[in-house]
C-alpha cells in the first residue's frame, strides 16, 4: 500500500472516443484512432512524471456488444499499435503486461500481444498494463474458481490477490475516467478499494500532458488515510 502521496500507479478509463468523433462528423473509428495518439502522449507523460505503472482500459468484456464493424476496427487499431509502436515502446523502456482473457481475442491480436509482452519483459521504466477483454467481475470469479480448483476452502486477501490479473502490481493510486462519466463500469473493482478518483470532462482523444499534470496536482492534495486517522 502506497502510504505517501507518490503517484506510483495510474489507471485510466479511456472514454469518449466515439463522442469526440461524432462531434467532428467523423466515424467512431476515427475517434479510436485519435485515442491511440492520446495513449502515446500519456505514456510519454508518465515517463516524464516518473509514474511507474499505467493501466489502461482498452476493451471491456461488455464492448463485444458493439456493432461488429466497430469491434473489428478496434481490434485492428490495437494490433497496429502493438506492431507499429513496438520498437518505440522498447526504446522508451516500457514493459507491457495484459489483463483480461486474451485467449478470446482474434488470433492475430492474441499473438501480437504475446510478442509485445515477451519483447518488453526486461524493461523497467514504466509498466503499461493493458486491460483488454477485461471485466472486474469476471476477474474476481476467475480468481475464486482458480482457488477452488486448487482445493482451497478458505483464503486470505494475499492468496486471493495472487489470483488476480494484477498479482505483483500495486493497487492503483489514482483512477481517471475521461469524458465526464462518474462511474467505474466494471474496472478494477477489487483493486480500487483505496484509490482516489478523478473525472475530467475532456474526451480521451483530447487528453494530454496538461490534464495529467492537473490530475497529479489534485491527487497530491488528497489526504489518503486508508481507514486510519
Ligand atoms: C472508449 O470510447 C474507447 C474504447 C471502448 C476502446 C478504445 C480502444 C482502442 C482504440 C484500442 C486500444 C488497444 C490497445 C492495445 C492500446 P467510446 O467508444 O466508449 O466513446 P463514447 O463513450 O464517446 O462512445
Amino acid at each position: 500500500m502506497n502510504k505517501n502521496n507518490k503517484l506510483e500507479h495510474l489507471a485510466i478509463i479511456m472514454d469518449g472516443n466515439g463522442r469526440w468523433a461524432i462531434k467532428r462528423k467523423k466515424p467512431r473509428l476515427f475517434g479510436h484512432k485519435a485515442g491511440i495518439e492520446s495513449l502515446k502522449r500519456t505514456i510519454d507523460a508518465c515517463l516524464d512524471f516518473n509514474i511507474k505503472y499505467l493501466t489502461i482500459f482498452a476493451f471491456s468484456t461488455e464492448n463485444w456488444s458493439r456493432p461488429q464493424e466497430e469491434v473489428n476496427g478496434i481490434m485492428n487499431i490495437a494490433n497496429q499499435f502493438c506492431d507499429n509502436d513496438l520498437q518505440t515502446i522498447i526504446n522508451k523502456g516500457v514493459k507491457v503486461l495484459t489483463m483480461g482473457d486474451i485467449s478470446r481475442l482474434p488470433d492475430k491480436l492474441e499473438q501480437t500481444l504475446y510478442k509485445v509482452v515477451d519483447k518488453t519483459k526486461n524493461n523497467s521504466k514504466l509498466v503499461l498494463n493493458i486491460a483488454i477483454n477485461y471485466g472486474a467481475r469476471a476477474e474476481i470469479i476467475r480468481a475464486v474458481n482458480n482457488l477452488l480448483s486448487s482445493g482451497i476452502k478458505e483464503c486470505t486477501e494475499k492468496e486471493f490477490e495472487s489470483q488476480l490479473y494484477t498479482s505483483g502490481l500495486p493497487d492503483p493510486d489514482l483512477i481517471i475516467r475521461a469524458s465526464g462519466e462518474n462511474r467505474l463500469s466494471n474496472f478494477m473493482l477489487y483493486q480500487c478499494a483505496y484509490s482516489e478518483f478523478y473525472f475530467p470532462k475532456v474526451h480521451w482523444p483530447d487528453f494530454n500532458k496538461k490534464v495529467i499534470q492537473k490530475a497529479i496536482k489534485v491527487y497530491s492534495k488528497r489526504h489518503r488515510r486508508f481507514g486510519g486517522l
Side-chain angles (χ1 to χ4, degrees):
M1 190 184 292
N2 180 14
K3 286 233 175 195
N4 53 36
N5 256 19
K6 163 107 185 64
L7 179 41
E8 191 182 20
H9 186 170
L10 171 65
I12 303 184
I13 302 174
M14 312 184 291
D15 197 13
N17 292 352
R19 276 165 283 172
W20 182 90
I22 305 285
K23 241 169 99 181
R24 284 160 181 78
K25 301 194 169 30
K26 300 275 191 190
R28 292 176 56 83
L29 285 175
F30 182 76
H32 294 313
K33 281 187 193 136
I36 291 292
E37 298 311 310
S38 234
L39 172 60
K40 291 190 220 167
R41 286 195 294 274
T42 302
I43 292 171
D44 287 342
C46 287
L47 288 164
D48 287 350
F49 293 131
N50 205 20
I51 291 169
K52 290 289 169 206
Y53 301 88
L54 170 64
T55 294
I56 51 158
F57 204 177
F59 194 83
S60 75
T61 44
E62 290 72 35
N63 286 151
W64 295 109
S65 66
R66 294 188 176 203
Q68 195 58 43
E69 195 190 336
E70 180 167 346
V71 171
N72 292 344
I74 291 175
M75 297 299 151
N76 287 336
I77 292 168
N79 206 68
Q80 276 164 17
F81 166 74
C82 294
D83 261 351
N84 301 347
D85 294 287
L86 176 58
Q87 200 49 51
T88 318
I89 289 172
I90 293 173
N91 294 345
K92 288 183 178 174
V94 178
K95 172 179 179 160
V96 176
L97 299 177
T98 61
M99 71 171 182
D101 183 1
I102 67 168
S103 73
R104 307 284 300 273
L105 296 173
D107 287 350
K108 191 168 165 221
L109 180 55
E110 185 192 359
Q111 295 312 318
T112 307
L113 285 167
Y114 277 131
K115 184 177 81 185
V116 176
V117 168
D118 183 56
K119 295 247 185 251
T120 62
K121 65 174 186 276
N122 295 321
N123 286 349
S124 59
K125 277 217 174 98
L126 169 72
V127 170
L128 173 65
N129 183 33
I130 302 176
I132 189 159
N133 192 22
Y134 171 82
R137 288 182 175 178
E139 177 186 34
I140 290 168
I141 299 303
R142 173 180 173 270
V144 170
N145 284 328
N146 285 352
L147 289 164
L148 289 175
S149 56
S150 76
I152 209 164
K153 295 244 162 29
E154 226 182 289
C155 72
T156 62
E157 285 186 14
K158 213 169 158 203
E159 284 163 338
F160 183 75
E161 286 159 12
S162 75
Q163 297 305 317
L164 296 174
Y165 290 117
T166 44
S167 171
L169 304 188
D171 286 342
D173 298 302
L174 176 66
I175 299 181
I176 297 178
R177 181 173 186 149
S179 222
E181 310 289 357
N182 298 276
R183 55 178 175 268
L184 278 180
S185 302
N186 204 13
F187 184 56
M188 302 190 96
L189 297 183
Y190 182 90
Q191 297 87 341
C192 77
Y194 287 101
S195 303
E196 295 291 328
F197 296 95
Y198 185 63
F199 300 111
K201 292 228 168 349
V202 57
H203 293 314
W204 176 248
D206 287 331
F207 204 85
N208 57 30
K209 192 172 178 178
K210 269 201 165 152
V211 184
I212 299 190
Q213 208 160 13
K214 172 85 193 297
I216 293 175
K217 198 169 162 200
V218 170
Y219 169 81
S220 68
K221 292 191 176 137
R222 303 260 174 97
H223 186 42
R224 303 181 76 194
R225 290 191 294 277
F226 298 97
L229 295 175

